[in-house]
Amino acid sequence: MGEEKEETSMTPDERMEWLRARGIFIETSEDREAKRRAEEEVTNAKTNANASAAPNATATATADIEFIKYVCIPADSSKSMEELTLNVSSMAKKRGCIDLLEMELKPKFASDGDEERSMDIERVKEYAGKHFGSSNTPTISDATLRSVAAQGNVEVFKLVPALESNKFCQISFYLDEVGSLKQLPLNARAMKMAFKAGFNPAPQFYGDIYVGRLQTKPYLKNLSFTLDVDASLERCTAPWLRSAVAENLQHQSEMNKLTGRVGELQPSADGEDGIDKQEEGFSWTQTPEEVEIKIECAPESTSRDVKVKFLPTRVEAKIKTMTVLSIHFFAPVDPDGCTWTFEKNDQPTLVLSCEKMDGVSWPQIMK
């Protein structure tokens, strides 16, 4: 085969194939329509199969089904990771243009009534303001925002892109697209897995996370991702994880060349890199292990005036009888690992150091 064509001399079809070979997702209008029809066919076939299945037809039906393994990482670290099974019929396998695991998981992320009511609507509006600008923010009712969350939307985060080096098999997280807005807890184990795969700092993931493997060429095909071989976090023994860092660097390099953002780094979370995040009445910084809060006090204040109460989910500080801080933490801290100091400089400052329980960066300090 001759030398690869220069990108500028490629036809549109050649350029699309060139980009896809480098792990860049491209979906045409024809792809979207084919996906929509395939989803309808798979849904209808599943409904018909359930309606017509007879008790004595189990053996025949099983012979026509492939069992695809995937893994659930609960947000609650006290719960074990779990291997689950996706049953794929021969008809579904023939579609070749849809991610069947994404379809399977959508109902799992549909909100119940409590989650809808707990949605942080103010954070949604703040998010919209950052993206549209305060003067251009669209007016959306609270009921509409809650209705969108209730539908169940799956976000697919690629831990490892599909590249020629991994036989076009991507490893992905499947998560609730509005998990942070529902105020779901951070998933520390998923963040640790992303860090080991080369994401530094690791993105923040909320709620239960599912992990699956998808082959993208010559057509889409769900493959097994198993608990014993693929999901170990204690030792990086899984073949996909050993090569993940290099493959993500390769993918990022290709993306940087295409976008012109050579050397651009993933943005840090608020309070990281020693940069103070200013809040009303105090500022704070953080590392994955600790959060530090600084409160400027009146010039006549002394350490004898200070009273601080640390609890797992909140902290309260007083100077004499005046409450200078009372907040609920975004995630639990260890009260036994929390301390305070009083710095008597030109500007007296009360400094609180709080040890985190989850060992991950927080998107914000308060709930």
Side-chain angles (χ1 to χ4, degrees):
M1 184 176 178
E3 291 186 4
E4 187 177 272
K5 277 189 177 182
E6 289 291 332
E7 185 187 348
T8 54
S9 65
M10 294 179 184
T11 66
D13 287 344
E14 288 173 334
R15 178 175 171 76
M16 188 180 301
E17 183 61 27
W18 185 84
L19 291 169
R20 284 173 170 166
R22 284 154 178 79
I24 298 167
F25 177 75
I26 299 174
E27 188 175 58
T28 65
S29 58
E30 291 83 3
D31 293 333
R32 287 191 290 273
E33 177 60 21
K35 181 178 178 180
R36 184 190 65 78
R37 291 180 179 176
E39 287 177 349
E40 286 182 356
E41 288 183 25
V42 171
T43 301
N44 291 337
K46 185 182 292 187
T47 301
N48 294 336
N50 291 338
S52 62
N56 60 359
T58 304
T60 304
T62 302
D64 194 41
I65 291 176
E66 181 179 353
F67 301 99
I68 306 297
K69 305 294 184 181
Y70 63 103
V71 169
C72 173
I73 307 176
D76 184 347
S77 297
S78 67
K79 296 181 179 179
S80 299
M81 293 193 291
E82 182 181 5
E83 185 175 280
L84 304 172
T85 302
L86 170 67
N87 299 341
V88 180
S89 70
S90 60
M91 188 284 299
K93 286 186 288 185
K94 292 177 182 177
R95 299 305 90 195
C97 60
I98 54 175
D99 182 347
L100 295 168
L101 183 54
E102 183 179 350
M103 277 188 66
E104 178 79 7
L105 293 174
K106 186 173 182 179
K108 291 183 181 292
F109 297 130
S111 299
D112 58 27
D114 290 338
E115 281 184 332
E116 286 181 59
R117 286 188 291 273
S118 70
M119 270 195 72
D120 190 341
I121 298 300
E122 291 307 312
R123 285 191 66 198
V124 178
K125 292 176 180 177
E126 179 185 351
Y127 177 87
K130 288 180 179 178
H131 283 73
F132 293 102
S134 57
S135 61
N136 299 317
T137 303
T139 302
I140 306 173
S141 70
D142 292 2
T144 299
L145 291 170
R146 290 192 172 93
S147 175
V148 170
Q151 295 172 11
N153 297 284
V154 183
E155 178 182 344
V156 180
F157 177 89
K158 287 189 286 188
L159 272 180
V160 179
L163 301 169
E164 187 173 2
S165 58
N166 57 31
K167 299 181 180 178
F168 299 101
C169 289
Q170 73 183 38
I171 308 296
S172 299
F173 279 163
Y174 297 79
L175 57 145
D176 191 328
E177 190 173 49
V178 291
S180 65
L181 304 180
K182 291 178 182 176
Q183 302 188 71
L184 299 180
L186 279 170
N187 194 315
R189 284 180 293 187
M191 293 173 66
K192 184 183 292 186
M193 185 176 285
F195 180 81
K196 289 179 179 290
F199 292 88
N200 186 16
Q204 284 144 353
F205 302 106
Y206 300 85
D208 295 344
I209 304 295
Y210 299 86
V211 198
R213 176 180 274 115
L214 181 71
Q215 186 179 56
T216 63
K217 293 183 73 173
Y219 53 86
L220 291 188
K221 180 182 180 182
N222 294 91
L223 303 175
S224 283
F225 183 94
T226 61
L227 185 60
D228 56 344
V229 175
D230 295 310
S232 173
L233 288 176
E234 300 306 318
R235 299 179 300 277
C236 298
T237 55
W240 75 269
L241 198 52
R242 288 201 301 267
S243 60
V245 174
E247 288 172 340
N248 274 313
L249 285 173
Q250 177 189 343
H251 175 66
Q252 189 61 53
S253 176
E254 296 288 352
M255 289 295 293
N256 286 345
K257 289 177 184 177
L258 291 171
T259 59
R261 295 181 294 189
V262 178
E264 185 171 308
L265 300 175
Q266 183 176 322
S268 299
D270 286 345
E272 288 190 327
D273 302 327
I275 301 173
D276 287 339
K277 171 63 175 175
Q278 193 65 47
E279 306 285 354
E280 186 175 352
F282 68 96
S283 63
W284 60 283
T285 57
Q286 67 169 325
T287 66
E289 295 76 28
E290 183 181 73
V291 60
E292 183 178 271
I293 302 170
K294 295 180 180 179
I295 308 160
E296 294 184 354
C297 305
E300 66 274 13
S301 302
T302 69
S303 60
R304 292 190 297 273
D305 302 325
V306 176
K307 292 182 180 179
V308 181
K309 186 176 183 180
F310 293 108
L311 296 171
T313 60
R314 61 186 298 268
V315 62
E316 183 179 280
K318 292 184 177 182
I319 302 293
K320 293 185 177 179
T321 59
M322 180 182 295
T323 299
V324 293
L325 180 73
S326 181
I327 62 172
H328 284 81
F329 290 118
F330 176 80
V333 300
D334 180 4
D336 294 334
C338 297
T339 60
W340 65 267
T341 57
F342 190 81
E343 299 177 354
K344 186 69 175 178
N345 301 315
D346 294 338
Q347 173 60 66
T349 304
L350 175 60
V351 181
L352 312 180
S353 299
C354 307
E355 184 180 329
K356 297 176 180 178
M357 293 289 286
D358 53 15
V360 297
S361 293
W362 296 348
Q364 59 200 56
I365 192 171
M366 297 178 288
K367 269 199 170 181

